[in-house]
Amino acid sequence: MNEMNDKQIHDERIILNVGGIKYETFSSTLKTYPDTLLGTMFHERNNKLLQPTNNNEYFFDRDSQVFRYIMQYYRTGKIIFPNDNSIITHQELLDEMDFFQIPLPLPLPTINSSLPTISQYSEIVDRFVQAIKFSIIETSWNFHETINITFYATPLHHETLPTDKMMYVSPFIEKIHERLKQYESSGYKILELFSMEIKNYLEIVMPNYTLNIQSSYHKHYYHPNYTGGSRCSHAQSLIINCVDNLKNLKYEILEKSCLNID
């Protein structure tokens, strides 16, 4: 029994000779990540394909200095990129990661380390107002007379909608939706706090447009497995009359158009 245990331990322990530098590890360590080159190589199904150069030693004609970062991944699940003072460059590590099929780590989300300042709050409000101005102008360019932009206090979910939403734009104009999307989670609070100031500002800088801001409740439905029935969400809506009745302007437009063949 002891001889069998010793043999199993011996079989599991392997030596990776990378560019002349030997790294010793266990096959189980490598098999933790089966989608990588070494994880696949030492999987049980590929045992017959292994060709050790000396008992359990396997040679790779690769950069031996960079390989320690690869081994670090197998042992910790992390790739620690070399700093700027290292003799190993980021590109060298990326090349080895590509060869050994190590996945690139996902970028960490940007984390704000401090609360916004008053100036930063002001910048957010200013950018929001500029986005509304853009929406008004873009609506006119798309031959629509009005636009309804609604932000919800809680996610809106209806059986006809594929995902939860906190913003609704009608008519749907892709450029407007993309511009306002960044305010989907903050638009309601911005309008709740500054609706009158925004309305007064837009009426001064865009006097040809009529703008109303309304607070309301909107009925919406939770997911099918929710048994509480329908709920209502607070909403802030901008209803903007962007252009006079286009039907009244039809003949003026036609007069300057190539369609006027008189």
Side-chain angles (χ1 to χ4, degrees), residues 18 21 23 62-70 87-88:
V18 182
I21 302 297
Y23 293 84
R62 304 297 300 181
D63 191 318
S64 58
Q65 299 299 319
V66 181
F67 188 73
R68 70 182 184 89
Y69 292 93
I70 303 300
I87 61 173
I88 298 171

Side-chain angles (χ1 to χ4, degrees), residues 85-100:
N85 297 323
S86 174
I87 61 173
I88 298 171
T89 66
H90 280 217
Q91 188 57 53
E92 288 174 324
L93 177 53
L94 289 173
D95 290 343
E96 296 306 299
M97 290 174 63
D98 181 63
F99 176 82
F100 288 102

Side-chain angles (χ1 to χ4, degrees), residues 15-209:
I15 296 173
L16 303 174
N17 185 337
V18 182
I21 302 297
K22 297 182 180 181
Y23 293 84
E24 190 168 342
T25 186
F26 291 98
S27 61
S28 58
T29 301
L30 304 177
K31 289 185 291 186
T32 303
Y33 301 96
D35 294 330
T36 63
L37 175 66
L38 295 177
T40 300
M41 177 178 170
F42 289 99
H43 194 280
E44 287 80 3
R45 67 175 179 270
N46 297 320
N47 283 345
K48 294 181 180 180
L49 302 177
L50 294 176
Q51 297 180 352
T53 57
N54 182 20
N55 290 329
N56 282 356
E57 184 175 320
Y58 301 85
F59 179 76
F60 293 88
D61 188 17
R62 304 297 300 181
D63 191 318
S64 58
Q65 299 299 319
V66 181
F67 188 73
R68 70 182 184 89
Y69 292 93
I70 303 300
M71 278 307 306
Q72 183 182 58
Y73 171 78
Y74 283 103
R75 289 166 176 159
T76 67
K78 299 177 183 178
I79 285 285
I80 307 299
F81 280 81
N83 58 42
D84 294 336
N85 297 323
S86 174
I87 61 173
I88 298 171
T89 66
H90 280 217
Q91 188 57 53
E92 288 174 324
L93 177 53
L94 289 173
D95 290 343
E96 296 306 299
M97 290 174 63
D98 181 63
F99 176 82
F100 288 102
Q101 300 173 20
I102 305 296
L104 282 171
L106 294 175
L108 292 174
T110 301
I111 300 175
N112 294 321
S113 58
S114 60
L115 293 172
T117 64
I118 296 299
S119 296
Q120 289 170 327
Y121 275 127
S122 298
E123 290 175 8
I124 294 171
V125 173
D126 287 349
R127 289 197 299 268
F128 176 80
V129 173
Q130 293 304 313
I132 297 300
K133 288 174 62 178
F134 169 86
S135 302
I136 296 172
I137 295 170
E138 190 65 25
T139 299
S140 299
W141 278 99
N142 281 271
F143 280 78
H144 290 287
E145 298 171 355
T146 61
I147 184 171
N148 183 334
I149 302 170
T150 300
F151 294 96
Y152 300 97
T154 56
L156 179 73
H157 187 89
H158 191 275
E159 57 190 0
T160 62
L161 298 176
T163 56
D164 289 339
K165 298 293 184 184
M166 294 185 70
M167 180 182 75
Y168 173 78
V169 179
S170 179
F172 179 85
I173 299 172
E174 186 172 0
K175 287 184 178 180
I176 294 176
H177 191 271
E178 289 301 312
R179 179 67 67 93
L180 293 174
K181 191 175 181 180
Q182 60 185 307
Y183 302 104
E184 186 169 5
S185 60
S186 60
Y188 174 86
K189 291 301 296 184
I190 292 175
L191 286 175
E192 184 182 45
L193 290 169
F194 307 107
S195 59
M196 289 307 302
E197 291 79 4
I198 291 174
K199 182 177 185 297
N200 292 339
Y201 169 80
L202 290 174
E203 287 178 344
I204 292 173
V205 299
M206 306 184 80
N208 295 327
Y209 300 92

Side-chain angles (χ1 to χ4, degrees), residues 245-261:
N245 192 322
L246 283 174
K247 291 182 179 179
N248 295 337
L249 299 176
K250 174 181 177 179
Y251 295 105
E252 293 181 37
I253 297 171
L254 186 61
E255 186 178 348
K256 298 181 181 298
S257 166
C258 66
L259 300 177
N260 182 10
I261 57 177

